Amino acid sequence: MRKDLLVQNFAWSLVHSIIETYTKSQYSKSETIMGEEAASGSEHHRLLSEMRAQNLDMIRFASYRTACKLRFVQKKANLHQVDIWNVIEAFRENGLNTLEPQMEVNVSRLETLISSLYHNLNKRLPPAQQVHVESSSGLLLNWLLSAYSAENTGKIRVFSIKVALATMCAGKLMDKLRYIFSQISDGNGQLVVWRFEDYLREVLALPAAVFESPSFHYSSDLSSKIFVGSQKVTVNDFMDTMMSDPGPACLVWLPLLHRLAGVESVVHPITCDACHRENFTGFRYRCQKCHNFQMCQDCFWRGRIFGSHTNEHEVKEYTSYKSPSKQIGHTLRKSFRCVPEKGRPNIPRFPEEPEKTLNLSHIVPPSPLPSHNGFPESSFMSTQFDVGSMDSRSTTRSPGKYSSSLDSSRYDDEHRLIARYAARLAAEARTVPRHSSRSSMHIPDLGGRAPSEGSLSLDSSRVQRELIAQLEAKNKEIVREIKRLKIQQELENAALSSDGSSADNPALMSELRALRQRKDELEGHLSSLQDSRRQLMVQLEGLMKLLKASSVSPPPERH
């Protein structure tokens, strides 16, 4: 037994010496390169020196070693305070969402993107916690260039920037993977194989940037090992595979990086049996063979042994601490339950097809006068607009001005809101399960509610869709009528300008009055449509809240 223990310790020391030799060579190589570069690489040089001082290369597990190094870079660059949604917003503000993924951007544009990311972060932080923008920007910029600009061209691909920042920022892993899938899928919501291979190549450049390429490197057969090339991969298949336990072997460090961030503040009020440290933080490991033998993460990662415990023993990892009394109470509560608990799915199901926007080009925009749209007129009197010139009912206003106001406010936010509510309502209606419990109609089972309530919701949604169809038909009719009146009015104005004596023609004047009267009627109809639309929006919002509440409410227990 003593001989086996000596052999095991010698093997681990040999492995550690090999890892340390390789890492030292990589560090020295990087430091030589950084010494030959300009002063702009000083931040990267300092980052490598501080990472080497952490002694992270002595961690015997490649996945933990990689996750710890990337977590160190994340915290040094203050990316742990930037959410994935802030990163996506920075992409939109700097125009990266309109560029092709294969396009390259120069260093100045990348620096502008990173600086805007930190400036927006300081707007959200209190003054005492704000980050130094120049230092953080320089560190992150040089690290990204060293990871993705191997030939020192000074340019980096748009897709590389998106993958790197989306991976290294804070936020839920599920949200990050959904954003990545949106970048590597087609218009039908299916995974594109060559884009997924490109993603693997870019994301595995991050472990290579912290000298872990021997453990996690890219190869051409990685995508075929994760997904079979002939099958269609949807967003739900992608999420199930990437977030499974264990996930893809080349990306086991990715969920571990998020778990590291979650346990940094967890305190275990016990003593480590290997180093005798009390109240340690991070992961806690308990040996399954030795009685009540528990270790901190540093001792387990570095392979420290104590007493009869060896590194061959199976251990269990814990991310929280429960006192023995709470554990006994939890065990008793589980034993007294008659019905076992159902396991909750960790990953929600997402729509497999992208939502299609409605065509609202035929919708008549509302009147630009605030009082016609349900707003108090007094609140808009002090604005820079002339309310009298905006009023479509003014008798001194010409038809040309009325038509131009219609064209300028064609794409109205109110119509977009109605379209969004209608699309979400239709999506909710499609996802509701149906069963034929009655012979006259199919009544949906909305989260265990009474059948009368489900039927009421279904009828209400059908009524809302019919009202939308009627409003759209009326809008089309009004558009055609306005165009006809506009053309007729232009012809009559041309006739009046060519023949000045026609102003004394009583028949022509009566026809003009009839046209004005018809125009007022159309505007009154338009105002009534606006009222109907507001009521419809209120009903749609109430129905949506009812459907959402019914979908999350648990079904009643049946005895």
Side-chain angles (χ1 to χ4, degrees):
M1 183 66 182
R2 181 67 178 175
K3 184 179 180 180
D4 295 339
L5 186 60
L6 291 175
V7 171
Q8 182 181 359
N9 292 336
F10 176 75
W12 277 117
S13 63
L14 181 62
V15 170
H16 287 167
S17 63
I18 293 174
I19 294 175
E20 187 175 3
T21 303
Y22 170 78
T23 307
K24 284 182 178 179
S25 64
Q26 295 296 321
Y27 277 126
S28 61
K29 181 180 178 181
S30 299
E31 289 174 358
T32 303
I33 294 174
M34 295 305 298
E36 294 175 355
E37 291 179 351
S40 60
S42 59
E43 296 289 343
H44 188 204
H45 178 76
R46 180 171 57 85
L47 176 66
L48 294 180
S49 301
E50 293 180 0
M51 184 188 298
R52 186 177 182 179
Q54 295 293 320
N55 201 19
L56 299 176
D57 295 294
M58 297 305 296
I59 300 176
R60 56 185 178 134
F61 303 105
S63 57
Y64 286 92
R65 189 168 60 246
T66 305
C68 287
K69 290 182 177 180
L70 292 178
R71 177 63 177 171
F72 177 79
V73 175
Q74 183 187 50
K75 295 179 70 175
K76 293 298 294 183
N78 291 302
L79 284 177
H80 66 294
Q81 303 185 66
V82 181
D83 194 74
I84 177 63
W85 307 111
N86 306 134
V87 172
I88 296 174
E89 182 66 18
F91 292 159
R92 186 194 63 81
E93 289 180 355
N94 292 271
L96 264 69
N97 58 332
T98 60
L99 299 179
E100 292 295 329
Q102 305 302 324
M103 289 187 61
E104 293 183 343
V105 297
N106 52 22
V107 177
S108 60
R109 187 162 185 178
L110 176 60
E111 188 176 5
T112 303
L113 167 67
I114 297 175
S115 299
S116 66
L117 201 64
Y118 289 114
H119 280 298
N120 292 332
L121 172 63
N122 283 337
K123 293 178 181 178
R124 300 187 299 269
L125 294 177
Q129 301 178 7
Q130 292 191 356
V131 300
H132 193 271
V133 176
E134 294 183 0
S135 176
S136 300
S137 300
L139 189 148
L140 182 58
L141 175 65
N142 285 278
W143 188 73
L144 290 178
L145 289 175
S146 66
Y148 292 103
S149 184
E151 299 178 357
N152 295 325
T153 58
K155 292 185 178 181
I156 184 172
R157 289 200 309 159
V158 173
F159 189 66
S160 303
I161 300 173
K162 291 182 177 181
V163 171
L165 292 183
T167 305
M168 293 297 294
C169 69
K172 296 181 180 179
L173 179 60
M174 178 179 60
D175 297 332
K176 295 183 179 182
L177 292 177
R178 285 189 67 191
Y179 172 73
I180 293 298
F181 186 82
S182 68
Q183 301 297 311
I184 60 177
S185 58
D186 56 13
N188 298 322
Q190 305 292 335
L191 181 70
V192 181
V193 178
W194 69 267
R195 292 181 182 174
F196 179 64
E197 294 175 351
D198 197 13
Y199 164 70
L200 292 178
R201 186 182 298 107
E202 299 298 331
V203 76
L204 289 177
L206 298 176
V210 291
F211 315 119
E212 292 297 330
S213 55
S215 302
F216 304 103
H217 59 276
Y218 175 78
S219 60
S220 57
D221 58 342
L222 278 181
S223 61
S224 60
K225 293 179 181 179
I226 300 175
F227 296 109
V228 181
S230 60
Q231 67 178 355
K232 294 181 178 180
V233 180
T234 62
V235 61
N236 294 315
D237 301 330
F238 180 77
M239 300 292 289
D240 291 339
T241 302
M242 301 296 287
M243 298 189 67
S244 60
D245 188 18
C250 61
L251 297 175
V252 291
W253 52 269
L254 183 57
L256 187 56
L257 175 63
H258 292 77
R259 290 169 55 198
L260 276 175
V263 299
E264 283 183 348
S265 58
V266 176
V267 179
H268 303 277
I270 58 174
T271 302
C272 175
D273 293 326
C275 65
H276 304 289
R277 185 176 59 175
E278 298 180 356
N279 298 325
F280 56 87
T281 59
F283 291 109
R284 175 170 58 93
Y285 296 90
R286 182 169 184 172
C287 181
Q288 301 297 297
K289 188 174 181 179
C290 303
H291 175 68
N292 199 22
F293 187 85
Q294 305 191 61
M295 294 184 295
C296 63
Q297 63 182 18
D298 292 337
C299 294
F300 178 72
W301 289 352
R302 288 165 171 79
R304 293 173 184 154
I305 58 177
F306 183 80
S308 61
H309 175 74
T310 65
N311 292 325
E312 299 297 327
H313 290 181
E314 182 182 356
V315 297
K316 187 176 181 181
E317 184 180 89
Y318 293 89
T319 58
S320 61
Y321 179 80
K322 288 184 180 180
S323 62
S325 59
K326 290 184 178 180
Q327 292 181 1
I328 295 174
H330 181 69
T331 305
L332 291 176
R333 284 194 299 271
K334 288 181 64 176
S335 62
F336 286 137
R337 287 193 182 102
C338 298
V339 181
E341 292 181 346
K342 295 183 179 179
R344 296 182 179 179
N346 294 328
I347 307 174
R349 310 302 293 177
F350 302 103
E352 296 185 352
E353 295 183 359
E355 294 184 1
K356 296 181 178 180
T357 57
L358 299 178
N359 183 14
L360 304 177
S361 59
H362 59 276
I363 300 293
V364 175
S367 172
L369 187 65
S371 60
H372 295 175
N373 297 327
F375 297 99
E377 188 172 354
S378 59
S379 61
F380 292 86
M381 290 298 291
S382 61
T383 60
Q384 60 180 349
F385 301 101
D386 186 5
V387 179
S389 62
M390 293 171 63
D391 192 358
S392 59
R393 293 193 175 121
S394 177
T395 56
T396 60
R397 188 169 177 188
S398 62
K401 293 182 180 178
Y402 176 71
S403 60
S404 63
S405 64
L406 287 177
D407 295 336
S408 63
S409 58
R410 183 174 181 179
Y411 298 101
D412 184 69
D413 291 340
E414 190 177 357
H415 289 287
R416 294 178 183 175
L417 186 59
I418 290 179
R420 187 159 60 251
Y421 280 150
R424 293 180 64 180
L425 179 63
E428 292 283 347
R430 286 196 301 269
T431 56
V432 171
R434 299 170 179 266
H435 62 87
S436 55
S437 60
R438 296 183 182 179
S439 59
S440 59
M441 64 174 66
H442 296 279
I443 301 176
D445 185 11
L446 298 176
R449 291 184 300 164
S452 60
E453 189 177 352
S455 176
L456 177 61
S457 300
L458 184 62
D459 294 339
S460 300
S461 62
R462 186 182 297 110
V463 169
Q464 306 302 329
R465 287 193 291 270
E466 291 176 357
L467 285 176
I468 291 174
Q470 293 176 4
L471 286 174
E472 289 181 352
K474 290 180 181 179
N475 284 331
K476 289 181 181 179
E477 182 181 355
I478 292 176
V479 167
R480 289 193 296 267
E481 185 70 18
I482 288 177
K483 287 182 178 179
R484 186 186 66 82
L485 289 175
K486 180 181 176 182
I487 294 173
Q488 186 175 359
Q489 186 72 25
E490 290 177 353
L491 292 176
E492 302 219 347
N493 288 337
L496 284 174
S497 61
S498 60
D499 188 6
S501 60
S502 299
D504 299 332
N505 191 348
L508 185 57
M509 296 302 296
S510 62
E511 188 173 356
L512 285 176
R513 283 193 295 271
L515 285 175
R516 291 194 182 96
Q517 184 179 1
R518 177 59 178 164
K519 186 187 71 172
D520 293 338
E521 292 176 358
L522 287 175
E523 290 176 355
H525 192 189
L526 183 63
S527 178
S528 63
L529 281 179
Q530 296 298 325
D531 296 335
S532 301
R533 183 161 44 203
R534 284 194 303 274
Q535 296 174 4
L536 178 61
M537 285 178 57
V538 175
Q539 295 175 3
L540 282 172
E541 186 176 1
L543 183 59
M544 238 178 58
K545 290 181 180 178
L546 182 63
L547 288 174
K548 187 177 293 184
S550 65
S551 62
V552 299
S553 60
E557 297 183 359
R558 297 181 179 179
H559 301 283

